[in-house]
């Protein structure tokens, strides 16, 4: 009996050195949660929704190698086939493992927003080209910073930064190493607003709640279980507001997400949220960027002037605290691109 229990436990546990853990969220829903230290380069959480007949997978990691590890975890949970893969958006860290599921499950459908195909073919292709060219140098620069004991901001490096840089360097190198074999798998089912999947045991809604992290974000919502799997509309420990984000719409999209009243929110990166406090904080941040940038434009300010007048210090403190790493990430993944894109978008509206 004990041997059986031990065998069952071993079968259910990922290897001790694995850079992820597998967390049941509600019955039948499991998150492969990344546990690399938060940094500047990312793998994504991947979610399995196990139904009566088959499985829905949400997001497929940053590389085929990483997706194969996630798929091995799915195989420890169930031998049911994967019927749908939903990509919450078209960034490679959520989609580069699609080919692993395509090869393993003939007939699997890939669900993406209607703009995914075009984004993948244009900006996505350009991003990959840039990563191929600049990735190895970036990884080398990170390792050099660790050797020299200086952070990217030029200060003495902290333990948190050292761990993050080394982990980031490994992630970048693995991603770039996988790029030559990467096949882009486009959506076979395109969603403009809403798709409902009945998996035989529950209702799964795939929703576009508006533009935010990208113009093509999808949320997977389990209304009965009150679970929302939200991709990079929510990222921890700092939000991700990049050059392909829409800061003017992002806050309202998060308000719609809050309107779902999910009690479990699975972010694209970071731990499962059991309340909406972090999402509310991020929504407040995005609304502040939107409103203060619009006010700066109304005063006739240039982007450089707006960068000085938009005051995010209180929210930077609330989100990044005293961590030099998180402050750097906030400046580079929120304030910098966020104000620039908000400025550009607000001008376009005038
Ligand atoms: Zn993303």
């Amino acid at each position: 009996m004990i041997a059986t229990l031990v065998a069952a436990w071993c079968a259910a546990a990922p290897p001790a050195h694995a850079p992820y853990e597998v967390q049941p969220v509600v019955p039948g829903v499991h998150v492969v949660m990344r546990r690399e230290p938060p940094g500047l380069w990312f793998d994504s959480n991947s979610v399995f929704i196990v139904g009566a007949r088959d499985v829905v997978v949400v997001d497929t990691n940053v590389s085929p190698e990483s997706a194969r590890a996630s798929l091995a975890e799915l195989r420890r949970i169930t031998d049911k086939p994967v019927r749908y893969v939903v990509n919450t958006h078209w960034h490679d860290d959520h989609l580069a493992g699609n080919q692993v599921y395509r090869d393993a499950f003939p007939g699997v459908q890939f669900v993406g927003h209607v703009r995914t195909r075009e984004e993948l073919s244009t900006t996505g292709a350009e991003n990959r080209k840039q990563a191929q060219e600049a990735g190895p140098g970036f990884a080398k620069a990170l390792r050099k910073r660790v050797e020299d004991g200086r952070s990217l901001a030029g200060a003495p490096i902290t333990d948190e930064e050292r761990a993050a840089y080394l982990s980031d360097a490994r992630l970048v190198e693995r991603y770039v190493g996988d790029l030559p074999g990467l096949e882009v798998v486009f959506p076979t089912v395109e969603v403009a607003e809403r798709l409902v999947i009945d998996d035989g045991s529950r209702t799964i809604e795939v929703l576009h709640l508006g533009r935010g992290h990208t113009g093509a974000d999808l949320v997977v919502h389990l209304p009965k279980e009150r679970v929302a799997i939200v991709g990079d509309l929510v990222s921890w420990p700092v939000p991700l507001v990049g050059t392909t984000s829409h800061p003017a719409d992002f806050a309202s999209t998060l308000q719609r997400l809050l309107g779902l009243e999910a009690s479990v929110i699975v972010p694209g990166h970071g731990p499962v949220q059991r309340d909406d406090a972090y999402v509310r904080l991020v929504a407040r941040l995005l609304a502040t960027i939107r409103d203060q940038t619009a006010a700066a434009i109304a005063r006739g300010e240039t982007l450089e002037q707006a960068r000085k007048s938009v005051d995010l210090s209180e929210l930077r403190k609330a989100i990044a605290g005293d961590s030099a790493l998180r402050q750097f990430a906030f400046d580079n993944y929120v304030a910098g691109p966020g104000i620039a894109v908000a400025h550009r978008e607000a001008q376009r509206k005038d």
Side-chain angles (χ1 to χ4, degrees):
M1 178 65 186
I2 287 173
T4 314
L5 281 176
V6 169
W9 183 83
C10 287
H17 60 273
Y20 53 81
E21 57 188 274
V22 183
Q23 273 188 13
V25 177
V26 295
V29 180
H30 307 260
V31 181
V32 182
M33 201 190 80
R34 304 307 304 180
R35 57 180 187 196
E36 287 98 355
L40 308 169
W41 197 273
F42 315 93
D43 202 342
S44 67
N45 293 333
S46 185
V47 183
F48 307 134
I49 305 168
V50 182
R53 299 178 298 265
D54 39 40
V55 179
V56 175
V57 174
V58 186
D59 286 341
T60 61
N61 299 108
V62 71
S63 66
E65 180 199 321
S66 184
R68 276 190 285 275
S70 292
L71 177 55
E73 295 305 327
L74 175 63
R75 282 292 161 254
R76 293 175 203 270
I77 295 166
T78 179
D79 58 5
K80 290 173 186 168
V82 175
R83 179 152 169 251
Y84 290 101
V85 168
V86 182
N87 295 117
T88 56
H89 61 295
W90 50 271
H91 288 159
D92 266 355
D93 56 328
H94 297 257
L95 172 141
N98 276 8
Q99 68 198 67
V100 170
Y101 293 91
R102 180 204 58 195
D103 294 346
F105 304 100
V108 63
Q109 299 286 327
F110 292 90
V111 180
H113 185 266
V114 286
R115 276 193 288 271
T116 301
R117 174 176 287 271
E118 193 193 328
E119 294 284 12
L120 271 175
S121 310
T122 54
T123 318
E126 183 56 33
N127 288 349
R128 274 189 292 280
K129 202 167 137 246
Q130 278 179 14
Q132 183 89 62
E133 286 162 10
F138 180 58
K140 229 168 136 188
L142 288 171
R143 291 189 194 282
K144 180 93 172 66
R145 291 282 169 171
V146 172
E147 264 168 44
D148 295 349
R150 307 295 295 179
S151 75
L152 289 170
I157 198 165
T158 64
D159 289 347
E160 187 187 28
E161 285 169 325
R162 192 175 292 112
Y165 290 6
L166 291 174
S167 166
D168 289 351
R170 277 192 296 273
L171 276 173
V172 172
E173 285 160 355
R174 191 177 68 186
Y175 171 67
V176 172
D178 265 12
L179 272 176
L182 196 74
E183 297 169 59
V184 179
V185 178
F186 292 104
T188 53
V189 178
E190 296 188 330
V191 180
E193 296 292 330
R194 183 169 182 264
L195 169 80
V196 178
I197 298 170
D198 180 350
D199 76 354
S201 56
R202 62 169 75 74
T203 299
I204 301 170
E205 294 179 322
V206 182
L207 305 169
H208 175 63
L209 299 176
R211 303 191 302 178
H213 173 69
T214 68
D217 298 319
L218 294 179
V219 166
V220 177
H221 180 223
L222 311 181
K224 202 168 103 236
E225 295 81 358
R226 300 182 63 200
V227 174
I229 303 153
V230 302
D232 287 353
L233 285 173
V234 181
S235 283
W236 181 93
V238 300
L240 294 174
V241 189
T243 50
T244 55
S245 297
H246 296 272
D249 297 351
F250 208 151
S252 344
T253 300
L254 288 179
Q255 288 303 331
R256 269 174 234 123
L257 172 61
L258 288 162
L260 297 178
E261 297 187 340
S263 55
V264 177
I265 297 166
V266 183
H269 308 277
V272 173
Q273 310 282 313
R274 301 279 174 178
D275 62 50
D276 62 12
Y278 181 69
V279 182
R280 285 188 186 282
L281 178 64
V282 174
R284 192 152 69 84
L285 166 71
L286 269 310
T288 304
I289 292 174
R290 177 195 63 204
D291 296 346
Q292 288 198 19
T293 308
I297 285 180
R299 291 192 297 270
E301 291 181 14
T302 63
L303 173 58
E304 287 321 305
Q305 290 168 324
R307 281 195 194 287
K308 294 195 182 87
S309 69
V310 172
D311 180 10
L312 303 176
S313 51
E314 180 214 332
L315 289 154
R316 183 180 188 260
K317 175 90 184 154
I319 288 172
D322 295 324
S323 156
L325 175 77
R326 293 176 193 197
Q327 288 170 354
F328 184 85
F330 185 93
D331 295 343
N332 285 279
Y333 288 127
V334 179
I339 295 169
V341 180
H343 192 274
R344 198 176 65 212
E345 284 193 328
Q347 268 183 332
R348 203 173 286 161
K349 266 179 204 162
D350 287 346

